[in-house]
Amino acid sequence: MKCETHSSEATAVCTYCGRALCPQCERASSSPRIACSEACADALAKADRAIKLVLTKNIQGARITAYYLYILGAIFVAVGIYGYILYPRMRVVHPMAAACGIALIAFGFSFHRLAKRG
Ligand SMILES: [Zn+2]
Ligand SMILES: [Zn+2]
């Protein structure tokens, strides 16, 4: 593979457009990633920002999901405890509700941890 500008042996490829680059072309770019031109470096930076934005949104989504799970879990636990007080005879249903609630809260914790990692 030869560099299109200098017709010397290419050592790299533009991350954005895939053009073959020699070490001289590679150095022309200010981007941390290999790009053939400032335009390609700009496009790469824009793509990076877009990816970061999507990731941030996903993290926010995970955090919201975690809070929903906490609330839902708390409701289930409350129903279990409240039901146990109101209807002590229904012994199977209430612990099950409480267990579901605890499981939901545990799910919420794992989502929260996921959100924090990002
Ligand atoms: Zn390029
Ligand atoms: Zn070149």
Side-chain angles (χ1 to χ4, degrees), residues 17 21 34 49 57 87:
C17 66
L21 301 171
I34 299 154
R49 266 198 294 271
K57 271 192 186 155
Y87 309 101

Side-chain angles (χ1 to χ4, degrees), residues 14 28 35 37 41 50 54 58 62 66 71 76 85-87 98 101 105 107-108 110 117:
C14 172
S37 61
V54 168
N58 273 349
I71 292 162
F76 264 92
I85 294 161
L86 282 187
Y87 309 101
I105 290 165
F107 263 126
S110 56
R117 207 185 300 158

Side-chain angles (χ1 to χ4, degrees), residues 14-19 21 35-37 40-41:
C14 172
T15 319
Y16 188 71
C17 66
R19 198 187 292 176
L21 301 171
C36 65
S37 61
C40 277

Side-chain angles (χ1 to χ4, degrees), residues 59 62-63 67 70 109-118:
I59 287 160
R63 199 170 295 153
Y67 286 132
Y70 287 153
F109 268 123
S110 56
F111 262 99
H112 218 148
R113 220 179 300 151
L114 209 78
K116 266 185 200 160
R117 207 185 300 158

